[in-house]
Amino acid sequence: MLLSSLRLSLRIPTVRPTASIFYKATFTTSTKPIMSKNILNWASKDGEFRRQTSSFRDNVSPDANATFAAEPDRYHLYISYACPWAHRALAVLKLKGLDSLIGLSVVDYYLGDKGWKFSTNEECPGAIPDTVNNASYIRDLYFKANPDYEGRFTVPVLWDKKLKTIVNNESSEIIRMFNSAFNAFLPEDKKAINFYPESLQKEIDDWNTPIYDNVNNGVYKSGFASTQEAYENNVFNVFTWLDKIEAHLANTDYLVANTLTEADIRLWTTVIRFDPVYFGHFKCNIKGIEKDYPNILKWARRIYQIPGLAETVNMDHIKKHYYMSHLQINPTGVVPISNGPDLSAAI
Ligand SMILES: N[C@@H](CCC(=O)N[C@@H](CS)C(=O)NCC(=O)O)C(=O)O
């Protein structure tokens, strides 16, 4: 077999990301050259990873006169199965039964030097190409929405087909919109689902804030740290908070009010990636979920077994994305075998 076709069948990237920290000119599918940083450099100069603030922050509204009014078949969600932030949006979309109102595209698991790419289902099983904008890369959407865009090209992206722009690229806000903005178009049972009820908002926020900083983003700050100091500044906090959550879940099925809320959904997408990816790849190996956190494991299984959620978990995309795209961490691109604990096991 020719090396090139071998590469193709194994999906080994032919162009490996460079370690350059210098600015370089890159070309998008628009004709405009842009000056951008090598997007595969994750850590700052001091070795710490800092997540950028999302740029598109509009809201879909139930008000029919709003700029971004909720309407069936007007909005489209772009995700990666690998990404825990995008996974939140997909989870809420499924649980609220919004799949009949909002379209979905899923990028290839491999994140290269042009960012997230669209592939056909044959090229990348599970991928759903962009039939709305016919984009080749997620970056094309960002430039369509703002030709002068200078930030990162992240998923999730909520796209408005009517105004041909990005409504929002911040998962925590997208899940709030999905939670209530489309209720007028949903059957009673789905309308009644509320992951952020007013009476529980303070308690939900009180979990969300430290979990975001120490767990959801904590694993990235540990894994993308490029100095020992930056790694050690962050990795202990991950386990301080997993320990707290473990103790809390000894007496309750869910984080808040013994009911599924957005606090659970936000944490869950990180927890199911923990043993197969973050433990090894991001060096978060002080403890593991299956081995050391029985209450968190039970909770993760409970959520996975809610109808509609198992189909949102694509462990093949998850593992291949991290281990094959972050070659500065895993230069061989070899992907480990284990998918972590069996989430479908009896609770
Ligand atoms: N704050 C954003 C973060 C999203 C995010 O960082 N997504 C990652 C994937 S896990 C991404 O698309 N990264 C591509 C890049 O930074 O180039 C959110 O929660 O929506």
Side-chain angles (χ1 to χ4, degrees):
M1 197 190 277
L2 284 174
L3 190 59
S4 57
S5 51
L6 185 72
R7 272 213 180 91
L8 208 67
S9 64
L10 294 177
R11 300 184 57 76
I12 297 170
T14 44
V15 183
R16 299 245 162 160
T18 68
S20 164
I21 56 161
F22 299 108
Y23 283 74
K24 61 172 190 173
T26 52
F27 290 83
T28 69
T29 53
S30 72
T31 50
K32 188 171 172 253
I34 55 146
M35 298 305 287
S36 71
K37 271 185 186 170
N38 178 346
I39 67 164
L40 298 168
N41 287 327
W42 300 102
S44 309
K45 275 194 186 137
D46 62 0
E48 294 270 357
F49 168 68
R50 293 185 183 84
R51 191 170 294 282
Q52 74 158 32
T53 308
S54 306
S55 319
F56 294 89
R57 308 300 283 267
D58 284 306
N59 286 305
V60 175
S61 163
D63 176 357
N65 298 317
T67 309
F68 297 103
E71 281 173 42
D73 199 32
R74 172 167 171 180
Y75 299 96
H76 194 81
L77 180 67
Y78 292 93
I79 64 144
S80 150
Y81 278 135
C83 168
W85 319 98
H87 192 179
R88 298 168 167 181
L90 179 65
V92 177
L93 179 127
K94 290 280 178 199
L95 292 172
K96 283 287 293 186
L98 291 169
D99 24 10
S100 58
L101 304 175
I102 296 171
L104 181 71
S105 291
V106 179
V107 294
D108 195 303
Y109 60 76
Y110 179 68
L111 179 86
D113 59 2
K114 289 204 186 84
W116 295 111
K117 176 178 171 295
F118 293 102
S119 293
T120 62
N121 189 55
E122 290 71 42
E123 291 165 329
C124 174
I128 307 177
D130 174 22
T131 49
V132 172
N133 288 292
N134 291 315
S136 304
Y137 292 90
I138 283 284
R139 64 165 54 200
D140 301 343
L141 307 173
Y142 279 84
F143 288 122
K144 204 163 180 180
N146 175 5
D148 299 318
Y149 182 74
E150 287 186 339
R152 300 195 68 91
F153 312 107
T154 57
V155 286
V157 169
L158 185 64
W159 181 266
D160 177 7
K161 297 196 275 186
K162 198 166 178 178
L163 298 182
K164 299 188 178 10
T165 193
I166 297 175
V167 183
N168 198 300
N169 68 335
E170 170 51 46
S171 62
S172 58
E173 294 175 5
I174 294 173
I175 63 175
R176 293 261 168 98
M177 291 173 225
F178 286 180
N179 185 52
S180 57
F182 295 86
N183 277 353
F185 306 100
L186 293 175
E188 288 307 318
D189 60 330
K190 298 292 183 190
K191 199 183 291 185
I193 297 174
N194 186 354
F195 298 122
Y196 194 57
E198 218 172 315
S199 60
L200 302 179
Q201 287 178 2
K202 161 112 185 36
E203 227 183 308
I204 293 171
D205 292 341
D206 286 348
W207 279 108
N208 280 348
T209 306
I211 286 177
Y212 170 79
D213 201 33
N214 298 290
V215 184
N216 302 133
N217 206 28
V219 295
Y220 278 87
K221 289 190 282 185
S222 305
F224 281 151
S226 63
T227 64
Q228 188 67 30
E229 192 188 0
Y231 164 66
E232 290 189 23
N233 278 346
N234 291 291
V235 73
F236 295 104
N237 297 335
V238 173
F239 295 93
T240 303
W241 276 89
L242 287 178
D243 289 352
K244 286 186 199 196
I245 294 162
E246 174 69 10
H248 180 72
L249 289 175
N251 309 311
T252 174
D253 283 354
Y254 297 101
L255 285 174
V256 177
N258 214 18
T259 183
L260 183 75
T261 69
E262 81 164 36
D264 297 294
I265 296 166
R266 289 170 47 133
L267 174 63
W268 181 73
T269 62
T270 296
V271 164
I272 63 161
R273 286 162 176 74
F274 202 92
D275 285 5
V277 177
Y278 303 146
F279 184 94
H281 186 65
F282 278 176
K283 305 184 186 78
C284 292
N285 63 0
I286 298 174
K287 293 184 186 178
I289 301 294
E290 187 164 26
K291 194 161 61 74
D292 302 300
Y293 292 113
N295 299 328
I296 297 180
L297 177 61
K298 217 162 155 191
W299 163 93
R301 286 184 167 140
R302 186 174 298 122
I303 296 175
Y304 180 84
Q305 292 172 26
I306 295 172
L309 280 189
E311 69 200 64
T312 69
V313 178
N314 186 323
M315 211 39 97
D316 196 50
H317 278 226
I318 292 173
K319 288 195 308 181
K320 284 179 174 166
H321 162 66
Y322 286 94
Y323 284 100
M324 293 175 75
S325 305
H326 301 157
L327 296 177
Q328 79 285 27
I329 299 175
N330 185 41
T332 60
V334 171
V335 181
I337 302 294
S338 171
N339 284 345
D342 176 7
L343 295 170
S344 61
I347 301 163

